[in-house]
Amino acid sequence: MRPVGQDSSEHRWDFFVSYAHADTSWAEWIAWTLEEAGYQVLLQTWDFAPGTNWLHSIQEGITRADRMLVILSSSYAASVFGQAEWMAAWSADPRGFARRVLPIRVDDSPPPDRFMPIFSLGIFGLDEVAAREKLLSGVSAVLRGGAEPPTAPQFPASISVRPVLSERAKPDVEPSFPGVDLVRDAANRLEDVFRPVGVPTVTFVAPEEYIPFRLALRQHGLCIVLEGPSGIGKTTLLKCAIDQDSQRLEKVETYSARIPGDVERIRRLPAEGHVGLLVIDDFHRLPEDLQGRIVDYLKRLADDAGSPGKLVIVGIPDTAATLVSISFDIANRIRVFRLGRAGEKQVLELVEKGEAALNISFDRRQEIVQAAAGSLITAQSLCSHLVMIAGVEESRLTPTVVQAEIPTARANVTKELRDKYGSAVNTFAAMDDLDKATCIDLLLALGQTEDGILALDDVQNRSSDLMPTIEKIFVTSSSPGLDPDGSIARHFFYDSRGRRIIADDPQLIFFLRQLRRDELLSMAGKRLPVPREHVFICYSHVDTDWHDRLLVQLTSLKRDGILDIWSDKRIEIGDDWREEINAALSRARFAVLLVSGDFIASEFIRKVELPALLAAAKSDGCRIIPILVRASTYKEMPELERFQHVNPGGKTLASLSTEEAEQVLANVARSILKFAKRRMK
């Protein structure tokens, strides 16, 4: 084989081989195999002699070869030299690649878009004998004209290259066959792809602010505020930007307000100063007096053009507003970057990057995106567990569909997080009196926030003793009896200036979302009566149309805040549906039964829902209202027949006119409203 860059005179070659440096072993084995079969092969190289016009040499090599073999892999897709060769090939043949092009796939990554319409030959995953046979037969097909490319690849728009100026040695012996082992050596491992802890690399999703943020980091003297909800990727953005520009940035240090030793270092900053780039993370956790001193220090840095130090403040939403409230003239001295909750597009990009790296595809990808609820780190956790459940530890050699067991993954993540947060949540839940659930309600409300920040002014009306309880927990929590192991202070923070409870760990928010009120009551050792506040609609899915019409008639009850309307349509994707139904049954004040033959035949209704409702009715905790929607054996069921139905003359809704059936449903809504108001007096 003759590398391009050596004298090729006017000799014509059968094949020119284009490949990425990472696939050198494959290229040399393929070239050797073809030469052994009698073909003349011209091997592309980056190892040009000093002073060589490398692009001209490649163009000359392409021009003198009859055909082009392209070694396709994930490395080639990212190769700037591969782009350069396509440019050279296009220049040599501007009418659209009259020569035949044969892409040879040496890994199972999808071909780049420009190769999609061209016949390709896959030899990955085979042993040497099978790969040699397939290669030679494919080349033979090209020579017969059977693999003529149907369209010309699209010309790449830009090229950025940096050739290595060194001699390339010609192999004296047959190269070893790369084969399956080489593919396995390059496999991505699960723990490196989906990372619930630490900074992701493979699945890093760059926000729109990435490039402006990097430029701001490099700008001398400019102080930066990076704010946003937990789990949105502030730390990842910062680390990736610093790593990418490490050669341009001076000394970089990070202090965290969570670490007592770092707080002391921060306290000394105004007097001692600093050199280089200093990041203060979790700024909102600093004592208020220290926040004020840091704001003054920041102003001094911004006003001193010769200062060797630069500050980056990282915190929760409204951190910049907090700085301005401390000193209004700080506003024109800082550059603020605000990261919002991750959109579905960003979470989907994370999932798809992980799929590509592991050569898998989730069968319920969109449900994973929704379950992540806008948190990238939650998406990392869920995907990691889903892949583990499927038994995938590293990249698959062949594309693999992963059955996304989302409820199981959520349960696994919750179990994993219980050891981390259980003590803090238990202690928090038990902080108020045994006959009160104020703290439990706060935990549940905090778990439903999008950013982990609960404004107390928004929830104060729910409990008259809210603020005394908060003061007891967060202001006087230094008492060993209130927070004996310090777990509350580690995971929850009270912002007295903004009157907010903050849980700035996204995994804690995920954990809180998995907990239910009755579970928290049990954890805290409380036994409060469960209020019955629901209208529970019990029906067969065959009768969904009647269910939907009933919901319309009951809307006013929910709108006016009299009762909540519950049916299984409120169960979200990924929820534990059995737990949702059991919780709703325990709160049912009224149970509307849409009775039909399918209702009677439903095993779940007969074994789960009806027994719970009948038991509640027996203790006068729930009023049962049957509606006969279609013909059934209702009268032959004593446990149901004893409850008076609402149908005039016993006629089913299906047998009535549309208006008559609608009137029956409206009468049900009126009856429920009348009973509800009577019990409210």
Side-chain angles (χ1 to χ4, degrees), residues 281-297:
D281 199 3
D282 297 310
F283 180 83
H284 58 281
R285 285 182 170 268
L286 292 177
E288 290 186 8
D289 66 314
L290 184 51
Q291 289 183 8
R293 294 179 60 192
I294 293 302
V295 169
D296 289 338
Y297 178 57

Side-chain angles (χ1 to χ4, degrees), residues 537-552:
I537 303 176
C538 184
Y539 72 107
S540 164
H541 283 193
V542 177
D543 301 315
T544 294
D545 290 344
W546 293 112
H547 162 277
D548 294 345
R549 292 311 308 164
L550 177 61
L551 278 184
V552 172

Side-chain angles (χ1 to χ4, degrees), residues 191-207:
E191 61 270 23
D192 297 325
V193 176
F194 292 118
R195 303 190 63 184
V197 179
V199 178
T201 52
V202 177
T203 50
F204 169 62
V205 178

